[in-house]
Amino acid sequence: MDMELIPAPVSVGDQGRCGFVLDPSTTIEAAPGTESTERWLRTTLGAAFGLPLAPGGEGAARAVRLRVDPSLASEGYRLTTQPDESVVITGGSAAGVFWGAQTLRQLLGPEAFRRAPVDGRTRTALAFTDIEDRPRFGWRGLMLDVSRHFLPKDDVLRYLDLLAAHKLNVFHFHLTDDQGWRVEIKRYPRLTEVGAWRSRTKYGHRASELWDETPHGGYYTQDDIREIVAYAAERHIRVVPEIDIPGHSQAAISAYPELGNTDVVDTAALTVWDTWGVNPNVLAPSDHTLRFFEGVFEELLELFPAATSPFIHVGGDECPKDQWKQSPAAQARIKELGLAGEDELQSWFIRHFDNWLTARGRRLIGWDEILEGGLAEGAAVSSWRGYAGGIAAAEAGHDVVMCPEQQVYLDHRQHGGPDEPMPIGYVRTLEDVYRFEPVPPALSEEAARHVLGAQANVWSEVMQNRSRVDYQVFPRLAAFAEVAWSALPAPADRDFADFERRMATHYARLDALGVEYRPPGGPLPWQRRPGVLGRPIEGTPPNV
C-alpha cells in the first residue's frame, strides 16, 4: 500500500484492515456542501481511470462518500475506508473535503495524475484505514510573477491545479510591473494596448550583454480573469491580485505619461522597460494618480470578488524616492500634508488605498516596505526582505505572511554547480526549503498568532516560459507545501531523509502531470543555459 503522502498528514491509522476498490461500479455519494469535490473527482479521477463515477444512492457499496462535519478543523479532513469497499472523506468544510480528495488521489498511485488510463486498467484498490489531517497554517501560498514574463491563461490554470495537488490555498497573482501590465482595464485601454508589450528583453541578469530581440507581452482579458478566479474558487484557492504602486510602475507610465513625475522627467519618452532591477520611474503623488488607480481598483474588485479575494496586494516595494526629492509638485504635496519626508509620502499613498479598500470590504496587503513611514492600520504585510519586517509588523499587531527571499524565493538557484540555468541568488536546495520555519522563535506567543502563514515567491526575470518556471518551482514547492501544511519539528530536527524517500513516489506523480522539475541529479541537457550571466550569491543566506 502506497502511503508516500506529501504533505505528510497528522496521523495515519493501521494499514491493511480493509480496502477501497475503485472500478466501473464505483459511485460518488456527495452530501450538501461537497459539490465542488464531487465535480473534481469525476473529471480528474474519472478521466485518469476511464470511469463514470456516477452519482450513487445512500448506502451503496463501492462508493466515495463525501461529508461535511463542522466539528473538524475548517480545512481538516478524515479519510477512512469501510468494509463495503467504500471510502469516506469527511471535511470540516467544503475545502477540507477537497483536501481529503487530494490525499485520495495520491493514495491511488501516480497513474491517478494522468488525463487518461495508460494500460486499460479501470480497477485499482487501496488497503488502509484512517487518516486524520489538518493544516498548520491558513495561508499556504505561491506568488507567480506574470509581468516580467507573461504566462498564457492555460499555464495559469495549470498552476492552480498544481497548487491544489499540494494543498496550497493562496495564489498571489503579480499582474503589473515595469516590464508589463497584464490585466485588461476597460476605462484605461492603453494599459494593455501599450503597457502589455515591450520591444525586446534582457536575456539573463541585468549585467548580461545578451538581448532577446523578440517583442514580448500579453495580458488577460476580463473574462480570462473571471475564468481564472472561478477555476481557483472551485479548488478552494484564494486569489490575491497585485497592482504594484507607487514603484514598479513604468509600464503604466508608458501608457499614461501623466501618471509619472512630469516635472522631473520626460515621461512621454518612456517605454515599457526591457531590463531588470529597481526602476527610478515612480508614480507622481498627485490627485490625478489617486483617481486613476481608484478606477483601476474599481474594475479589479469586480473581477476578484470578496469571497475569493478578501486581500488586495498593492506592492509598495522598491520605490526609489529620488524623483520625489527633485519634484516641486511632490515636495509641495509633502508640505501641504505636513509630512516628515518622502517615506511618509509613500505611507500616505498606501494609507489612501488602505482606507479606500477597507471602505469596500477588502484588506490591503503589501510588501514590508509599507512599514516605512508608518503602517496603515488594517494592512497586512508580506515579509520578503527577511523575517525582520514580519516580526516588526506582528509585534505591532498586524497580520503577516512570511516569504523571506533568503529562504523561499524559488527564482534563487537550487545548486552551486555551473550547469544551473541563469543562476540567481543564494543556493536553496530542496532540503533548505524543507527546513524553512515560517514562525521565528523570537516572536512572542501573541505576535505569532498574527503569522497567517507562508508563501513561496516566483519572480520570472530569468524564466521565459512554463518550462523554466517548472524547473525553478519544482521539486522545491513540494517541500514548501509540507512546511506550510504539516506540523513539523524544529528545522534541525526534521526528517529530511523520510521526505526524500516519499519524494521518490512524488516525482512519478510530477512526471504524470508533465512537470519539468529539476531532477535530483541536476539539470538535463536542455535545461542548462551555458554562458548566460546570472547573479549568484555565495555563502549561506543571512537570517535577517
Side-chain angles (χ1 to χ4, degrees), residues 353-412:
F353 287 100
D354 181 61
N355 292 333
W356 192 91
L357 289 166
T358 300
R360 287 155 184 80
R362 305 300 179 97
R363 289 188 64 190
L364 177 143
I365 185 166
W367 303 111
D368 52 53
E369 284 96 331
I370 68 172
L371 290 162
E372 295 163 10
L375 182 55
E377 198 173 324
V381 168
S382 303
S383 188
W384 77 272
R385 290 181 293 179
Y387 288 106
I391 291 170
E395 294 287 5
H398 294 280
D399 288 341
V400 176
V401 176
M402 286 294 185
C403 48
E405 63 169 331
Q406 301 86 352
Q407 320 296 331
V408 286
Y409 266 34
L410 299 186
D411 39 305
H412 285 204

Side-chain angles (χ1 to χ4, degrees), residues 133-166:
D133 204 7
R134 62 188 171 277
R136 179 184 176 192
F137 293 109
W139 186 301
R140 308 180 301 279
L142 177 81
M143 188 224 71
L144 197 55
D145 165 19
V146 295
S147 176
R148 273 46 177 268
H149 280 98
F150 179 66
L151 275 181
K153 179 192 71 179
D154 280 359
D155 290 346
V156 174
L157 299 177
R158 172 179 176 266
Y159 256 83
L160 291 169
D161 280 329
L162 292 171
L163 292 189
H166 292 83

Side-chain angles (χ1 to χ4, degrees), residues 106 151 239 262 293 338 397 407 410 412 434 468 470 485 537:
Q106 290 197 12
L151 275 181
V239 183
T262 54
F293 278 91
Q407 320 296 331
L410 299 186
H412 285 204
Y434 191 66
R468 279 291 284 123
D470 276 6
W485 177 279
I537 306 173

Side-chain angles (χ1 to χ4, degrees), residues 79-163:
L79 189 154
T80 56
T81 54
Q82 295 186 317
D84 65 355
E85 297 182 334
S86 294
V87 64
V88 182
I89 300 172
T90 309
S93 64
V97 178
F98 184 70
W99 305 131
Q102 300 303 321
T103 295
L104 176 63
R105 186 190 196 186
Q106 290 197 12
L107 291 167
L108 290 168
E111 52 271 32
F113 290 79
R114 298 197 175 275
R115 294 187 190 183
V118 289
D119 57 4
R121 184 160 59 108
T122 57
R123 187 184 193 279
T124 188
L126 308 181
F128 65 93
T129 54
D130 303 340
I131 294 175
E132 296 266 357
D133 204 7
R134 62 188 171 277
R136 179 184 176 192
F137 293 109
W139 186 301
R140 308 180 301 279
L142 177 81
M143 188 224 71
L144 197 55
D145 165 19
V146 295
S147 176
R148 273 46 177 268
H149 280 98
F150 179 66
L151 275 181
K153 179 192 71 179
D154 280 359
D155 290 346
V156 174
L157 299 177
R158 172 179 176 266
Y159 256 83
L160 291 169
D161 280 329
L162 292 171
L163 292 189

Side-chain angles (χ1 to χ4, degrees), residues 517-536:
Y517 56 84
R518 182 191 189 275
L524 299 168
W526 58 87
Q527 292 173 321
R528 298 170 191 153
R529 293 289 184 280
V532 181
L533 195 64
R535 186 181 59 93

